[in-house]
Amino acid sequence: MLSAREVMRVSKIIPVISINSVDEMLYLAEALIEGGVSIFEITLRTPAALGAIQEVAKRFPHAMTGAGTVLNSEQFKKVEDAGASFAISPGLTASLAIYKSSIPLLPGVATASEIMQGIEYGFDAFKLFPANIVGGIGALKAFGAPFKEVVFCPTGGINATNAKDFLALENVLCIGGSWIVPAELIAAKRFDEITKITKEAILALNA
Ligand code: 3PG
């Protein structure tokens, strides 16, 4: 089984996706891959999400299709059965932490106590959420002192302007964000613009 860290090393950006139809997601997956991002966090925030995970995982086997907003072990099982390669949650509950799954979980944390609880369950990689609200770069630097072995994927309020500063931190392996997959561009089916935004983001991060 892949580790959460291996998932985090696939791409500097994990797009956080809310999708209204399987078709939209298939176009979006193509657009993102074309732009240089072949990992997707499809959040369970819409009725189409589970079907979209299933279809994208099948049609894009070389990409990494994951599920986001996985709030409990029932949902964890559902996304695993749908073929997700990883799961992300905004926080951590006991049932999620002990669920025996075949895919890695990247649980969300916002405080030192939550990191410590996660470490007790065996996690060493977390999503920092909502990153900009809970202290952003300052919080990540501060967590680096007591939690030297821990790495993060900050998510929430990350954009083209601040992404590079987050990624410059030693304990940040990747960042999550919805800015490269704007809902209005998806709704308007302007997928070529999403490819453009994605390419620009990758270029800027590698510059
Ligand atoms: C998430 O759910 O992970 C965040 O809401 C994404 O945050 P963003 O929309 O600010 O990128």
Side-chain angles (χ1 to χ4, degrees):
M1 166 171 128
L2 275 182
S3 69
R5 283 177 189 238
E6 283 167 321
V7 172
M8 292 163 87
R9 287 201 183 96
V10 167
S11 167
K12 287 182 182 169
I13 310 175
I14 301 183
V16 179
I17 298 165
S18 277
I19 203 75
N20 289 314
S21 78
V22 174
D23 270 1
E24 266 183 6
M25 186 57 227
L26 292 172
Y27 285 118
L28 182 61
E30 264 177 29
L32 287 167
I33 292 170
E34 175 78 21
V37 169
S38 50
I39 184 166
F40 323 116
E41 177 188 343
I42 302 175
T43 61
L44 298 186
R45 295 177 197 176
T46 57
L50 211 55
I53 291 168
Q54 198 162 14
E55 212 46 37
V56 174
K58 206 160 43 183
R59 303 242 197 138
F60 299 93
H62 301 299
M64 181 125 350
T65 303
T69 320
V70 176
L71 302 180
N72 52 53
S73 51
E74 289 77 25
Q75 291 182 338
F76 201 169
K77 179 166 183 352
K78 279 189 185 155
V79 302
E80 194 183 8
D81 291 347
S85 302
F86 63 92
I88 301 185
S89 59
L92 185 60
T93 66
S95 81
L96 269 178
I98 62 171
Y99 179 71
K100 294 265 173 284
S101 94
S102 57
I103 58 171
L105 172 70
L106 187 66
V109 290
T111 65
S113 293
E114 290 167 13
I115 296 169
M116 288 160 67
Q117 281 161 10
I119 292 171
E120 283 188 358
Y121 281 115
F123 294 91
D124 64 359
F126 300 95
K127 158 174 169 160
L128 180 74
F129 179 77
N132 59 335
I133 308 290
V134 301
I137 288 177
L140 287 158
K141 279 187 181 161
F143 287 148
F147 306 117
K148 290 204 186 334
E149 308 304 323
V150 166
V151 290
F152 296 93
C153 173
T155 306
I158 315 278
N159 52 47
T161 312
N162 61 13
K164 210 169 173 169
D165 295 335
F166 277 94
L167 282 163
L169 301 175
E170 255 178 41
N171 56 356
V172 170
L173 294 191
C174 63
I175 47 130
S178 63
W179 93 94
I180 61 168
V181 286
E184 57 280 11
L185 290 188
I186 299 174
K189 303 198 188 317
R190 284 155 62 193
F191 295 104
D192 47 346
E193 285 190 46
I194 293 179
T195 298
K196 191 166 162 263
I197 297 172
T198 307
K199 276 189 182 159
E200 282 167 4
I202 297 287
L203 263 177
L205 294 181
N206 288 333

